[in-house]
Amino acid sequence: MRSTLLLLPLIPAAVATRPFLNEPDTGIEDVLGSTPAGSLPDLERIVGLPDFEWAARRYMNASSYTYYRNGAAGEWSYRNNLEVYGRFRFRPRMLVDVTNIESTLPTSILGHNFSAPFYISPCARGGLAHENAERNFVKAAYEEDILYIPSLYASLSVDDIAAAKPSNGSQVLFQQVYLTDNDTETQQLFDHVKELGSKAIVFTVDSAADGNRHRASRYGVGSADSSFTYITWDYYKKLQSMTSLPVILKGIQSVEDVKLAVQHKVPAVILSNHGGRQLDSTPSPLEVALEIHQEAPELFDQIEIYADGGIRYGADVLKLLALGVRAVGLGRPFMFANTYGVEGVKRAIQLLKHEIAIDAGNLGVADLKKIDASYVKWTNNGWFS
């Protein structure tokens, strides 16, 4: 009985964290709650990435917001993507000179240099949030010098997105694709995106079947890819022969598949569960990265590994980088920021850059390239499990 009573004070604290599914309570409702529905608060009053979702939920119509927000089935994977980062505690180091940390943010992704270790992930239908749609991502990514990976199911065509790039030809974009069993169409698509200047193809492999999206179905905004798709390693080998562009695999969720990717000479993989939108009970990218670190850490040296899913804070980015992930992608936060247009997307990028730098400084990391797993206690304390 005594041991049970000792645990009782901990129960309310754990339960109290459970209600939110979107963003935590950081006072935004108290300060900005009077913002009329259908309008946006002043952009300078947005202080973190979760604020953009709060603002977008009040501004967008229900079906458009749901298209961005929905997850698979009971949305446990969606929720886990958000909460998993809080399960692991930092191990900060003191008395370290961190005054030059900002200069260490620049990152190389497949040989292309960018100003920060994160990118805009492929997400469909940017036009639901703003009339300029994906043009805002292209411009913001260029001005802030980060990578943007357009979705094949963007509101704009691949031609329109390419046309939004600066005329000097300096901007690097990768192109995400879904593929059919029509090899002629695939070859034409590969040739066309290369002609438009894409520097890599990102092939999404975690949606071989339709997503089981209950929330989306209620609003009639289900998956854009609704057929069973033939995706095998032999098929990937054929894709490699159809283009000189590197073909990245997006949606890898196990250490076994990363090992196979190395065997099949894949240049890079993205650890992702499709934002928790395809199959419920899939692992978060952080859990997959931890599995790789624990079972086959050498893989981080054998192949470039990126990750996306649930990242909302600079601290989240640091935990992935600490395991060996080279760069991280964010989708929903930028989609919601796009309600403000290009300036909103730019502010989201700037906020995350700043958070990464100050969080790394408080963690005692002098050089972001030298962060490693020793900066985090990787024992799961059981919270939010």
Side-chain angles (χ1 to χ4, degrees):
M1 178 65 71
R2 178 180 176 83
S3 59
T4 302
L5 290 175
L6 288 174
L7 291 174
L8 285 178
L10 301 178
I11 294 175
V15 172
T17 65
R18 296 304 293 169
F20 88 87
L21 280 176
N22 303 300
E23 66 280 331
D25 177 9
T26 56
I28 189 170
E29 193 69 44
D30 295 334
V31 176
L32 300 181
S34 61
T35 304
S39 61
L40 292 166
D42 291 340
L43 182 57
E44 61 267 22
R45 305 189 77 179
I46 298 295
V47 302
L49 297 191
D51 291 3
F52 284 109
E53 179 163 0
W54 180 91
R57 190 167 60 252
R58 299 167 64 94
Y59 174 75
M60 301 175 71
N61 64 58
S63 63
S64 295
Y65 168 76
T66 298
Y67 184 82
Y68 292 163
R69 159 61 181 82
N70 76 87
E75 300 186 339
W76 301 110
S77 285
Y78 165 83
R79 182 172 191 141
N80 182 56
N81 279 5
L82 292 170
E83 294 181 340
V84 68
Y85 298 96
R87 295 179 192 162
F88 303 99
R89 299 291 176 259
F90 282 126
R91 301 181 63 247
R93 316 295 169 78
M94 301 298 122
L95 304 175
V96 177
D97 180 4
V98 299
T99 54
N100 293 316
I101 185 61
E102 288 182 317
S103 68
T104 72
L105 262 65
T107 300
S108 172
I109 300 176
L110 279 188
H112 303 285
N113 297 321
F114 300 97
S115 68
F118 63 88
Y119 57 88
I120 302 176
S121 293
C123 290
R125 308 291 183 255
L128 295 178
H130 194 274
E131 61 184 1
N132 288 334
E134 289 80 18
R135 292 186 187 91
N136 295 330
F137 301 132
V138 175
K139 185 175 182 180
Y142 174 71
E143 294 185 7
E144 290 295 326
D145 189 23
I146 68 168
L147 175 65
Y148 169 42
I149 307 175
S151 167
L152 185 64
Y153 293 141
S155 293
L156 301 179
S157 69
V158 293
D159 297 83
D160 288 338
I161 291 172
K165 294 191 296 182
S167 58
N168 60 20
S170 62
Q171 184 170 12
V172 173
L173 299 182
F174 296 173
Q175 177 63 54
Q176 182 270 343
V177 298
Y178 294 101
L179 300 176
T180 69
D181 58 3
N182 187 321
D183 289 346
T184 300
E185 288 183 357
T186 296
Q187 186 67 69
Q188 291 173 344
L189 176 61
F190 282 8
D191 292 345
H192 190 47
V193 298
K194 181 180 179 181
E195 180 184 352
L196 291 173
S198 290
K199 300 303 182 183
I201 291 171
V202 177
F203 179 31
T204 297
V205 297
D206 62 2
S207 55
D210 192 7
N212 182 26
R213 305 176 186 178
H214 293 186
R215 182 188 296 265
S217 295
R218 299 188 196 284
Y219 289 87
V221 291
S223 173
D225 183 25
S226 59
S227 62
F228 290 96
T229 307
Y230 177 79
I231 303 175
T232 67
W233 288 107
D234 286 340
Y235 180 62
Y236 177 77
K237 184 176 181 180
K238 180 166 69 174
L239 296 180
Q240 289 176 308
S241 70
M242 297 172 71
T243 181
S244 60
L245 294 177
V247 182
I248 300 167
L249 295 181
K250 180 181 185 294
I252 299 300
Q253 299 174 57
S254 68
V255 65
E256 290 88 353
D257 278 347
V258 179
K259 290 179 180 178
L260 287 169
V262 171
Q263 292 177 24
H264 288 84
K265 303 186 185 307
V266 181
V269 297
I270 301 176
L271 311 180
S272 174
N273 63 2
H274 215 102
R277 292 160 70 90
Q278 285 299 111
L279 173 65
D280 216 356
S281 293
T282 50
S284 70
L286 182 68
E287 290 166 314
V288 181
L290 181 57
E291 179 182 68
I292 297 168
H293 172 75
Q294 293 173 335
E295 299 185 18
E298 68 278 4
L299 291 173
F300 289 108
D301 297 320
Q302 297 172 359
I303 185 173
E304 291 195 11
I305 298 178
Y306 321 130
D308 75 24
I311 298 151
R312 299 293 185 271
Y313 302 95
D316 302 343
V317 176
L318 294 179
K319 288 174 183 177
L320 285 164
L321 297 182
L323 289 170
V325 170
R326 178 178 287 263
V328 306
L330 295 89
R332 288 185 179 97
F334 289 122
M335 301 302 281
F336 293 129
N338 195 33
T339 54
Y340 287 90
V342 65
E343 293 304 318
V345 181
K346 285 173 59 178
R347 181 160 178 81
I349 295 170
Q350 293 162 1
L351 287 170
L352 187 56
K353 285 180 178 178
H354 180 63
E355 282 196 13
I356 292 171
I358 61 174
D359 287 349
N362 285 319
L363 185 57
V365 176
D367 183 344
L368 209 57
K369 307 297 186 300
K370 296 181 180 179
I371 192 171
D372 60 37
S374 69
Y375 285 91
V376 184
K377 182 179 180 181
W378 293 111
T379 303
N380 187 338
N381 63 20
W383 290 7
F384 315 127
S385 59

